[in-house]
Coordinates of all heavy atoms in Angstrom, one line a residue:
Chain A
Y217 N 6.0 -10.7 1.6 CA 5.9 -10.4 3.0 C 5.3 -11.7 3.7 O 5.8 -12.2 4.8 CB 4.9 -9.2 3.1 CG 4.4 -8.8 4.4 CD1 5.2 -8.5 5.5 CD2 3.0 -8.6 4.5 CE1 4.7 -8.1 6.6 CE2 2.5 -8.2 5.7 CZ 3.3 -7.9 6.7 OH 2.8 -7.5 7.9
F221 N 7.2 -14.7 6.5 CA 6.7 -15.3 7.8 C 6.5 -16.8 7.7 O 6.5 -17.5 8.7 CB 5.5 -14.6 8.3 CG 5.8 -13.2 8.8 CD1 5.6 -12.1 8.0 CD2 6.4 -13.0 10.1 CE1 6.0 -10.8 8.5 CE2 6.8 -11.8 10.5 CZ 6.5 -10.7 9.7
Chain B
M1 N -5.5 -5.8 4.2 CA -4.6 -6.9 4.5 C -5.0 -7.7 5.7 O -5.5 -7.1 6.7 CB -3.2 -6.4 4.7 CG -2.4 -6.0 3.5 SD -0.7 -5.7 3.9 CE -0.8 -4.4 5.0
V5 N -0.2 -14.3 11.2 CA 1.1 -14.5 11.7 C 1.3 -13.9 13.0 O 0.6 -13.0 13.4 CB 2.1 -13.9 10.7 CG1 2.2 -14.7 9.5 CG2 1.8 -12.5 10.4
G6 N 2.2 -14.5 13.9 CA 2.4 -14.0 15.2 C 3.3 -12.8 15.1 O 4.0 -12.6 14.1
R7 N 3.3 -12.0 16.1 CA 4.3 -10.9 16.1 C 5.6 -11.5 16.6 O 5.8 -12.5 17.2 CB 3.8 -9.8 17.2 CG 2.3 -9.6 17.2 CD 2.1 -8.2 17.6 NE 2.4 -7.3 16.5 CZ 3.3 -6.4 16.6 NH1 4.1 -6.2 17.7 NH2 3.6 -5.6 15.6
G8 N 6.7 -10.8 16.2 CA 8.1 -11.2 16.5 C 8.3 -11.0 18.0 O 8.5 -9.9 18.4
E10 N 11.0 -11.3 19.6 CA 12.4 -11.5 19.5 C 13.1 -11.4 20.8 O 13.2 -10.4 21.5 CB 13.0 -10.3 18.7 CG 12.0 -9.1 18.5 CD 12.2 -8.5 17.1 OE1 13.3 -8.2 16.9 OE2 11.2 -8.3 16.4
L23 N 12.1 -10.6 11.8 CA 11.7 -9.3 11.6 C 10.4 -9.0 12.2 O 9.5 -9.9 12.3 CB 11.6 -8.9 10.1 CG 12.8 -9.2 9.2 CD1 12.5 -8.9 7.8 CD2 14.0 -8.4 9.8
S24 N 10.1 -7.8 12.6 CA 8.8 -7.4 13.0 C 7.9 -7.3 11.8 O 8.4 -7.1 10.7 CB 8.8 -6.1 13.8 OG 8.8 -5.0 12.9
L25 N 6.6 -7.4 12.0 CA 5.6 -7.3 10.9 C 5.8 -6.1 10.1 O 5.8 -6.1 8.9 CB 4.3 -7.3 11.6 CG 3.2 -8.1 10.9 CD1 3.5 -9.6 11.1 CD2 1.9 -7.9 11.7
G26 N 6.0 -4.9 10.8 CA 6.1 -3.6 10.1 C 7.4 -3.6 9.2 O 7.3 -3.1 8.1
V27 N 8.5 -4.0 9.8 CA 9.7 -3.9 9.1 C 9.6 -4.8 7.8 O 10.0 -4.3 6.7 CB 10.9 -4.4 10.0 CG1 12.2 -4.4 9.2 CG2 11.1 -3.4 11.1
A28 N 9.2 -6.0 7.9 CA 9.0 -6.9 6.8 C 8.2 -6.3 5.7 O 8.5 -6.3 4.5 CB 8.5 -8.2 7.2
A29 N 7.1 -5.7 6.1 CA 6.2 -5.1 5.1 C 6.9 -3.9 4.4 O 6.8 -3.8 3.2 CB 4.9 -4.5 5.8
R30 N 7.6 -3.1 5.2 CA 8.2 -1.9 4.5 C 9.4 -2.3 3.6 O 9.5 -1.8 2.6 CB 8.7 -0.9 5.6 CG 7.6 -0.3 6.3 CD 8.0 1.0 7.1 NE 9.0 0.7 8.1 CZ 8.8 0.3 9.3 NH1 7.5 0.2 9.7 NH2 9.7 0.1 10.2
L31 N 10.2 -3.3 4.1 CA 11.2 -3.8 3.2 C 10.7 -4.3 1.9 O 11.3 -4.1 0.9 CB 12.1 -4.9 4.0 CG 12.9 -4.4 5.1 CD1 13.6 -5.6 5.8 CD2 14.0 -3.5 4.7
S32 N 9.6 -5.0 2.0 CA 9.0 -5.5 0.7 C 8.6 -4.4 -0.2 O 8.8 -4.5 -1.4 CB 7.7 -6.3 1.0 OG 7.9 -7.4 1.9
R33 N 8.1 -3.3 0.4 CA 7.8 -2.2 -0.5 C 9.0 -1.5 -1.0 O 9.0 -1.0 -2.2 CB 6.9 -1.2 0.3 CG 5.5 -1.7 0.4 CD 4.7 -0.9 1.3 NE 4.6 0.5 0.8 CZ 4.1 1.5 1.7 NH1 3.7 1.2 2.9 NH2 4.1 2.7 1.2
Y34 N 10.0 -1.4 -0.2 CA 11.3 -0.8 -0.8 C 11.7 -1.6 -2.0 O 12.2 -1.1 -3.0 CB 12.4 -0.7 0.3 CG 12.1 -0.1 1.5 CD1 12.7 -0.4 2.8 CD2 11.0 0.9 1.6 CE1 12.4 0.3 4.0 CE2 10.7 1.5 2.8 CZ 11.4 1.1 4.0 OH 11.1 1.8 5.1
V60 N 6.8 6.3 3.0 CA 7.3 6.1 4.2 C 8.3 7.1 4.5 O 9.0 7.6 3.6 CB 8.0 4.7 4.3 CG1 8.8 4.4 5.6 CG2 7.1 3.5 4.0
Q64 N 12.8 7.0 8.6 CA 12.4 5.5 8.9 C 13.1 4.6 7.9 O 13.6 3.6 8.3 CB 11.0 5.4 8.9 CG 10.6 3.9 9.1 CD 9.5 3.8 10.0 OE1 8.5 4.6 10.0 NE2 9.5 2.7 10.8
D68 N 15.5 1.7 9.0 CA 15.2 0.3 8.7 C 16.4 -0.3 8.1 O 16.8 -1.5 8.5 CB 14.0 0.2 7.7 CG 12.6 0.4 8.3 OD1 12.5 0.3 9.6 OD2 11.7 0.7 7.6
L95 N 15.1 -10.6 3.6 CA 13.7 -11.2 3.5 C 13.8 -12.7 3.2 O 12.8 -13.4 3.1 CB 12.9 -10.5 2.5 CG 12.4 -9.1 2.8 CD1 11.7 -8.4 1.6 CD2 11.5 -9.1 4.0
Chain C
dT16 P -1.7 -2.0 16.0 OP1 -1.1 -2.8 15.0 OP2 -3.2 -1.7 15.9 O5' -1.4 -2.6 17.4 C5' -0.1 -3.0 17.7 C4' -0.1 -3.5 19.1 O4' -0.3 -2.5 20.1 C3' -1.2 -4.6 19.4 O3' -0.5 -5.8 19.7 C2' -1.9 -4.0 20.7 C1' -0.9 -3.0 21.2 N1 -1.6 -1.9 21.9 C2 -1.1 -1.6 23.2 O2 -0.2 -2.4 23.8 N3 -1.7 -0.5 23.9 C4 -2.6 0.3 23.3 O4 -3.1 1.2 24.0 C5 -3.1 0.0 22.0 C7 -4.1 0.8 21.3 C6 -2.5 -1.1 21.4
Chain D
dG14 P 9.0 -4.0 20.8 OP1 9.1 -5.4 20.3 OP2 10.0 -3.2 21.5 O5' 8.5 -3.2 19.5 C5' 7.2 -3.4 18.9 C4' 6.8 -2.3 18.1 O4' 6.6 -1.1 18.9 C3' 7.9 -1.8 17.0 O3' 7.1 -1.6 15.8 C2' 8.4 -0.6 17.6 C1' 7.2 0.0 18.4 N9 7.5 0.9 19.5 C8 8.3 0.8 20.5 N7 8.3 1.8 21.4 C5 7.4 2.7 20.8 C6 7.0 3.9 21.3 O6 7.3 4.6 22.3 N1 6.0 4.5 20.4 C2 5.5 3.9 19.3 N2 4.7 4.6 18.6 N3 5.9 2.7 18.8 C4 6.9 2.2 19.6
dA15 P 7.8 -1.2 14.5 OP1 7.5 -2.1 13.5 OP2 9.3 -0.9 14.8 O5' 7.1 0.2 14.2 C5' 5.8 0.4 14.5 C4' 5.4 1.8 14.2 O4' 5.7 2.7 15.3 C3' 6.0 2.4 13.0 O3' 5.0 3.3 12.4 C2' 7.2 3.2 13.5 C1' 6.6 3.7 14.9 N9 7.6 3.9 16.0 C8 8.5 2.9 16.3 N7 9.3 3.3 17.4 C5 8.7 4.6 17.7 C6 9.0 5.5 18.7 N6 10.0 5.3 19.7 N1 8.2 6.6 18.8 C2 7.3 6.8 17.9 N3 6.9 6.0 16.9 C4 7.7 4.9 16.8
dT16 P 5.3 4.1 11.0 OP1 4.0 4.3 10.4 OP2 6.5 3.5 10.3 O5' 5.7 5.5 11.6 C5' 4.8 6.3 12.3 C4' 5.5 7.6 12.7 O4' 6.4 7.2 13.8 C3' 6.3 8.3 11.7 O3' 5.6 9.5 11.4 C2' 7.6 8.5 12.3 C1' 7.4 8.2 13.7 N1 8.6 7.7 14.5 C2 9.0 8.4 15.6 O2 8.5 9.4 16.0 N3 10.0 7.8 16.3 C4 10.7 6.6 16.0 O4 11.6 6.2 16.7 C5 10.1 6.0 14.8 C7 10.8 4.7 14.4 C6 9.2 6.5 14.1

Side-chain angles (χ1 to χ4, degrees):
Chain A
Y217 171 54
F221 288 98
Chain B
M1 280 191 297
V5 287
R7 318 209 74 243
E10 15 211 312
L23 303 180
S24 84
L25 224 64
V27 174
R30 290 198 300 276
L31 288 174
S32 303
R33 282 173 58 192
Y34 305 156
V60 173
Q64 176 137 34
D68 282 342
L95 289 175

